[in-house]
Amino acid sequence: MLPVSEQERVPKVSSSERVVFLNDKFVAEHEAALSIFDRGVLYGDAVFETAFAWDGRIFKLDRHLERLRQSLQVVCIELPMTFTALREAIVETVRRNQLQNAYIKWLVTRGTGPMLSFDLRKCEPSVIVFARDYLYLMDPAKAAQGISVNIPKTRRIPQECLDPRVKSVNYLSFVVARIEATRAGYDETILLDMAGRLTEASGYNLFVVKNGGIATPSEGVLEGVTRETILDLCAELRIPATARSLTPYDAYTADEVFLTSTAGGLVPVRAIDGRQVGTGQPGPVFYRLKDAYEALIASGTHGTPIYS
């Protein structure tokens, strides 16, 4: 594959239309086409990463690429380009869409192969990169006051079946759980594993605060980049923090609970299953970490420039 800088320039499109990177080239969004026989479509046989840009810099891009590499290694998909070329494609996708603050997603599917065959050796992987204006998973006005969550009947897919550290497109359990939460009047949902331990929400990691210390589930979760960043900030701020097994009791009796995500940062939880968390308002530990996280992003540390 040619480096991004050597590829043919994308045709001019209207200023309102986005440009995406698909299988070795940039195309107008309406021209982007993936085969209906791609295994990502047929079987959810794909992995992905989600990152964001702020003030013209992509936050922790290389960390996201490393996690993608690990996911690809586990599921035995070979990236059909170098990681350097993929990195360039990600930056260029944001640049061509003229975004300063962006939600960025890239996917690698196992691709197409012999019709309906499970001979995975003959597949040709697909690579997709797109960018949008920065996306909040939760309405910022609602998130500022704290959200309500439930613990649904739907359980997290056991890590014995699919290790959650693989960021795969298999999100159906989260979708079903979110539907259950929405129909019951909740803003978000936190899934249990098969042993009744807390795992994560649909797109968020979970943190609980008790007596000034923080805990986050250690098993059955995607090891989110924002989660990792918060744990690093806890060390810098000398806030005791640990990753360990947690049950609903720990959340119900916590002083504070909050969620973390690439899309939206830190979101406080005011109630779980109808039980008020702490004072029912975002707490002091949450605000310390939120301020530190936003300051880190604004500093440009860990940021990959888009326009230089």
Side-chain angles (χ1 to χ4, degrees):
M1 173 177 179
L2 293 175
V4 172
S5 59
E6 298 178 22
Q7 294 181 31
E8 181 180 350
R9 300 297 295 179
V10 66
K12 287 187 176 181
V13 296
S14 67
S15 59
S16 62
E17 183 167 21
R18 298 300 187 191
V19 172
V20 302
F21 179 83
L22 175 62
N23 291 338
D24 208 22
K25 61 183 179 180
F26 292 96
V27 297
E29 188 174 90
H30 78 276
E31 295 176 346
L34 190 69
S35 170
I36 63 170
F37 300 114
D38 189 290
R39 290 181 59 85
V41 176
L42 293 178
Y43 305 111
D45 191 356
V47 296
F48 75 101
E49 280 293 322
T50 301
F52 74 92
W54 199 259
D55 286 339
R57 295 181 291 264
I58 302 175
F59 186 66
K60 291 194 172 182
L61 175 57
D62 291 329
R63 179 68 186 93
H64 282 284
L65 285 169
E66 173 59 20
R67 190 170 63 177
L68 177 75
R69 185 195 67 76
Q70 293 171 349
S71 293
L72 290 170
Q73 174 74 12
V74 173
V75 301
C76 300
I77 295 177
E78 184 174 350
L79 185 68
M81 57 196 298
T82 67
F83 274 89
T84 298
L86 175 58
R87 190 180 193 275
E88 292 175 357
I90 293 166
V91 174
E92 183 68 9
T93 299
V94 183
R95 182 185 298 126
R96 293 192 183 206
N97 287 289
Q98 301 178 8
L99 296 169
Q100 289 288 330
N101 302 332
Y103 171 90
I104 313 158
K105 189 168 186 174
W106 57 96
L107 305 89
V108 183
T109 80
R110 200 173 303 275
T112 57
M115 185 64 66
L116 302 180
S117 169
F118 272 82
D119 186 350
L120 308 183
R121 297 168 299 177
K122 298 181 180 180
C123 292
E124 298 178 4
S126 296
V127 178
I128 305 161
V129 184
F130 67 83
R132 290 284 189 278
D133 292 312
Y134 184 77
L135 170 68
Y136 292 88
L137 285 179
M138 189 64 58
D139 175 69
K142 176 175 286 189
Q145 302 301 315
I147 64 172
S148 65
V149 306
N150 78 327
I151 297 176
K153 295 178 182 177
T154 301
R155 297 296 179 99
R156 182 73 162 89
I157 295 174
Q159 59 186 4
E160 291 83 0
C161 299
L162 178 63
D163 196 307
R165 289 174 292 183
V166 174
K167 195 170 177 64
S168 79
V169 300
N170 294 284
Y171 263 53
L172 194 55
S173 61
F174 289 115
V175 171
V176 172
R178 185 64 181 269
I179 290 171
E180 183 180 333
T182 300
R183 289 181 173 176
Y186 295 96
D187 300 313
E188 188 47 83
T189 188
I190 301 171
L191 280 68
L192 300 176
D193 66 11
M194 299 304 293
R197 296 169 297 205
L198 294 167
T199 62
E200 56 193 347
S202 59
Y204 299 90
N205 284 119
L206 168 70
F207 286 83
V208 301
V209 181
K210 187 70 174 179
N211 298 326
I214 286 182
T216 188
S218 57
E219 298 178 348
V221 300
L222 175 73
E223 294 177 346
V225 172
T226 308
R227 172 184 181 269
E228 178 182 280
T229 303
I230 293 303
L231 290 173
D232 289 342
L233 289 173
C234 283
E236 292 179 16
L237 297 172
R238 296 186 178 180
I239 298 173
T242 184
R244 61 181 176 84
S245 176
L246 296 171
T247 68
Y249 178 90
D250 297 302
Y252 294 153
T253 61
D255 299 324
E256 303 175 41
V257 174
F258 62 90
L259 308 177
T260 62
S261 173
T262 292
L266 281 64
V267 177
V269 174
R270 59 176 175 78
I272 303 174
D273 285 340
R275 298 167 174 83
Q276 179 176 295
V277 174
T279 64
Q281 301 291 328
V285 175
F286 166 80
Y287 279 122
R288 283 187 70 193
L289 287 166
K290 180 176 183 292
D291 290 346
Y293 178 70
E294 292 177 353
L296 178 64
I297 294 169
S299 73
T301 305
H302 307 300
T304 298
I306 299 167
Y307 300 101
S308 63

